[in-house]
Amino acid sequence: MLSRVALRSAAARQSASTALVARGSATDVAGVRDEKNFPRPVRGEPGKVRLGFIPEEWFQFFHSKTGVTGPYTFGVGLATYLCSMEIYVMEHEYYTGLSLLLMVYVATKKFGPSVAAWLDKEVDTIETEWNQGRQDTIDGLQQSIEEEKKAQWRAAGQELLIQAKKENVLLQLEAAYRERAMQAYNEVKRRLDYQLEKNNLERRLSQKHMVDWIVRSVTQAITPDQEKQTLDRCISDLSALAARN
Amino acid sequence: MGFGDYPKEYNPAVHGPYDPARYYGKPDTPFGQVKISELGSWFARRNKTPSGIAGACSRAWWRWQHKYMQPKKVGMAPFFQLLVGSMTFFYVINYGKMKHHRNYKYH
C-alpha cells in the first residue's frame, strides 16, 4: 500500500501541473521538500501489545499518573464495576464466550509459535521471490560493469601493444635507413676506390712510358763520336788513376 | 475538494509521498497530553464537518493498519483487536435485548 502511495505521489510529482489541475486540490505546488518534518514513510515493526490486544501506549499513558499497576487496577476496577452493577450482563452467551476464550488461549499458546515461524518463513520466501528479479538485474549489471572494466583494461593493453608496434616500426625504419646508408657508403667507397685505382694505374703506366721514352731517346741521342770521346775520357781517367797509385 | 482528493493542506512538493495516516494541517496538542480542564476548548478546535470526521476516521484506520496490520511480520494482535472490537460493537448494538437477561433485581 505504501509503495502504491509512493508511486502515485512520484507520478504526481513528475507531471505536477496537469495532475494537480485534474485533482483540483493542493493548488500550491511550490515549496521546498521538508525531509525533517515529513520524512518518507517506512514500514515499521508491529506495535507492541499486552494481554494479546491492548496497545502498549495505553499502559504508558497510565505509568506517569498511576504507576505500573495502575492500568491493571483500572481494568479490574472497571470490570468489577460493570459486573457488580450488571451493566455487563452475564447471560448464557457469557459462558460460551469464556469457553471460547479458553480455547483461543490454548490454541494460541500451543500452535502460535509454530504457525508464526511457518508464516515468517513464507513471508521471507515471498519477499525473496519479489526481490529476485531486481537482485538478478543488479547482479547482471554489476557483472556487465566488471566486464566493461576488464574490456577497458584490455583496451589499455591494446594501446600499449600498438605503441610497442609503433616503436617496432620505427626500429625497422631505423634499421632500413642504416642499411641503406651503409649501402650508399659502400657504393661510394667502391667508386672512389675504383677511381683511385684507375688513377694509380694511369700514373704508373704513364711513368713507365715516360721512363722508357726518355731512356730510348737518350740512347738514340748518343752518337758514335760521343761514345768514342766518352770511352777515351774513361780510359784517360783510368790511366790517370793508375798513374797516381 | 471532492471525493478522492488529497487534503487541502497536503503539498507534494513539501510533504513528499502522501501518507494516509498523517494529518497535514497544523498540529494541535495530542489527545493523550490534553488536560481535563482543556478538553472543552480542545474539542471546540476540532473540525466537526462530515469531511473532517471522515478524514479523522480514515487517518485512524490507516494508523492502525500501518501499526498493526501492514508490518512485515505481524502477530495475532490485530486479529484479537478486531475480535474484541467486534465483540464490543455487537454487545452494544444488542444491549437492549441483553438487558432482559439480568439475574439480580437489586444492585
Side-chain angles (χ1 to χ4, degrees):
Chain A
M1 190 61 214
L2 277 180
S3 63
R4 199 184 308 162
V5 166
L7 197 69
R8 204 191 304 160
S9 157
R13 215 178 309 144
Q14 274 166 5
S15 60
S17 56
T18 54
L20 285 170
V21 166
R23 265 208 324 273
S25 71
T27 45
D28 179 23
V29 291
V32 182
R33 178 85 172 83
D34 189 356
E35 290 278 0
K36 188 165 148 285
N37 293 320
F38 299 92
R40 273 188 86 87
V42 289
R43 199 181 190 187
E45 291 294 310
K48 282 197 171 62
V49 290
R50 291 194 199 174
L51 302 177
F53 69 101
I54 305 175
E56 177 74 20
E57 286 82 357
W58 176 252
F59 295 90
Q60 297 299 330
F61 173 69
F62 272 89
H63 276 184
S64 60
K65 298 170 182 66
T66 64
V68 179
T69 54
Y72 299 102
T73 314
F74 173 75
V76 171
L78 186 68
T80 311
Y81 170 71
L82 291 178
C83 294
S84 74
M85 297 299 282
E86 259 197 335
I87 295 170
Y88 182 74
V89 185
M90 294 186 191
E91 90 294 24
H92 54 282
E93 291 283 3
Y94 170 72
Y95 299 99
T96 315
L98 272 188
S99 56
L100 279 173
L101 180 70
L102 188 67
M103 283 195 277
V104 167
Y105 178 79
V106 170
T108 307
K109 284 293 169 194
K110 194 165 164 57
F111 304 117
S114 55
V115 171
W118 177 70
L119 284 175
D120 286 352
K121 195 162 62 64
E122 288 294 300
V123 165
D124 286 340
T125 313
I126 290 173
E127 196 190 20
T128 316
E129 276 174 15
W130 285 2
N131 277 330
Q132 194 59 47
R134 188 170 59 171
Q135 193 58 43
D136 286 350
T137 311
I138 289 171
D139 288 347
L141 288 175
Q142 263 170 357
Q143 199 175 342
S144 308
I145 289 170
E146 289 294 317
E147 281 171 6
E148 173 63 26
K149 277 182 179 164
K150 205 180 272 183
Q152 284 178 3
W153 176 69
R154 280 178 188 148
Q158 200 68 24
E159 261 178 24
L160 270 180
L161 192 62
I162 284 174
Q163 200 162 353
K165 281 182 177 175
K166 275 181 182 167
E167 280 178 10
N168 203 0
V169 167
L170 284 179
L171 283 176
Q172 287 178 7
L173 283 175
E174 178 78 16
Y177 169 75
R178 288 191 180 195
E179 191 186 332
R180 287 179 189 185
M182 194 65 204
Q183 198 178 351
Y185 166 79
N186 281 336
E187 288 297 319
V188 169
K189 186 172 183 299
R190 207 158 59 80
R191 280 162 173 72
L192 286 178
D193 284 349
Y194 167 75
Q195 293 292 336
L196 180 67
E197 204 61 30
K198 200 179 85 175
N199 269 352
N200 285 344
L201 192 64
E202 277 177 356
R203 187 185 289 167
R204 206 167 59 238
L205 281 176
S206 55
Q207 196 176 5
K208 192 176 159 196
H209 278 108
M210 183 75 104
V211 169
D212 283 352
W213 177 69
I214 290 173
V215 168
R216 200 167 58 243
S217 301
V218 169
T219 332
Q220 280 172 353
I222 297 172
T223 55
D225 270 354
Q226 272 179 337
E227 202 171 348
K228 196 172 179 307
Q229 272 178 9
T230 308
L231 205 60
D232 288 347
R233 178 74 184 173
C234 285
I235 288 167
S236 64
D237 281 350
L238 278 174
S239 57
L241 281 174
R244 198 179 296 165
N245 291 326
Chain B
M1 188 172 160
F3 287 103
D5 286 344
Y6 287 130
K8 264 203 290 293
E9 298 87 0
Y10 171 63
N11 181 354
V14 174
H15 300 142
Y18 181 66
D19 184 355
R22 181 160 192 159
Y23 179 59
Y24 283 99
K26 194 172 179 302
D28 203 340
T29 320
F31 180 67
Q33 297 170 18
V34 178
K35 301 219 169 25
I36 291 177
S37 59
E38 295 166 353
L39 269 177
S41 61
W42 192 86
F43 270 110
R45 285 199 298 275
R46 299 275 68 75
N47 180 4
K48 287 176 285 292
T49 59
S51 66
I53 292 168
C57 290
S58 165
R59 287 196 301 276
W61 163 253
W62 282 113
R63 272 181 72 172
W64 181 77
Q65 280 274 317
H66 288 169
K67 188 165 180 183
Y68 294 107
M69 268 300 196
Q70 301 282 356
K72 198 166 120 186
K73 290 174 179 174
V74 295
M76 280 302 279
F79 302 100
F80 286 151
Q81 285 170 352
L82 274 181
L83 191 68
V84 171
S86 54
M87 276 162 64
T88 312
F89 176 72
F90 284 105
Y91 195 85
V92 167
I93 63 171
N94 286 315
Y95 194 62
K97 294 165 190 164
M98 301 276 186
K99 273 199 292 195
H100 303 301
H101 291 276
R102 281 182 174 164
N103 297 315
Y104 300 99
K105 191 171 181 182
Y106 305 107
H107 294 95

